[in-house]
Amino acid sequence: MTDYDLRTREALRRVVLLEYGFGPETLRGRKICPVCGRAGSADRTHCADCGAPLPEMTLYDFYRSRHRCCPGCGVVVTEVAVYCPECGARLPERREAAV
C-alpha cells in the first residue's frame, strides 16, 4: 500500500467517524439532556426541547470517564493493551482499583 493510499484510507475513516457520530471530534461537540435525552450542541447551556440545564460534561468527557483511552489520540483501548492500536503510543500502566 502506498503512502497516498494510507493517507486516503485515514481521511475516509475520519469522514465516516464524523458522519456517523462516533469520532472524538463529534463527541466533544455534543451534550445529552438528562431530562429528555436529546443530543444538543456542547456550547448550549439548556436543552432546546425541554429547557432543562445541560450537564457540563460533553459526551466525550462522559465516555472517557468510563473507558480506558489512549492519552495520545483518545481511542478506547483494552485493559491489557500496552500500545495504542491507533497511534502506537505507549500506554500508561493501568492502576488497580483500591479495595
Side-chain angles (χ1 to χ4, degrees):
M1 200 177 264
T2 68
D3 187 48
Y4 174 80
D5 293 333
L6 292 173
R7 287 194 318 268
T8 302
R9 184 176 173 187
E10 176 64 18
L12 288 173
R13 185 185 72 78
R14 290 189 185 282
V15 167
V16 169
L17 287 174
L18 287 171
E19 182 177 337
Y20 293 103
F22 298 115
E25 296 86 4
T26 301
L27 293 177
R28 283 184 186 105
R30 299 276 181 247
K31 292 181 182 177
I32 299 295
C33 176
V35 175
C36 70
R38 179 185 173 155
S41 177
D43 60 349
R44 297 187 62 97
T45 58
H46 290 79
C47 178
D49 271 4
C50 70
L54 292 174
E56 289 293 318
M57 287 177 59
T58 65
L59 280 176
Y60 183 73
D61 300 329
F62 182 76
Y63 182 77
R64 287 193 52 112
S65 74
R66 288 178 166 56
H67 296 88
R68 182 176 183 221
C69 298
C70 172
C73 68
V75 117
V76 171
V77 294
T78 65
E79 295 297 319
V80 296
V82 177
Y83 294 95
C84 175
E86 186 68 24
C87 72
R90 183 163 179 83
L91 301 169
E93 290 186 25
R94 184 74 174 169
R95 286 176 268 158
E96 296 297 322
V99 179

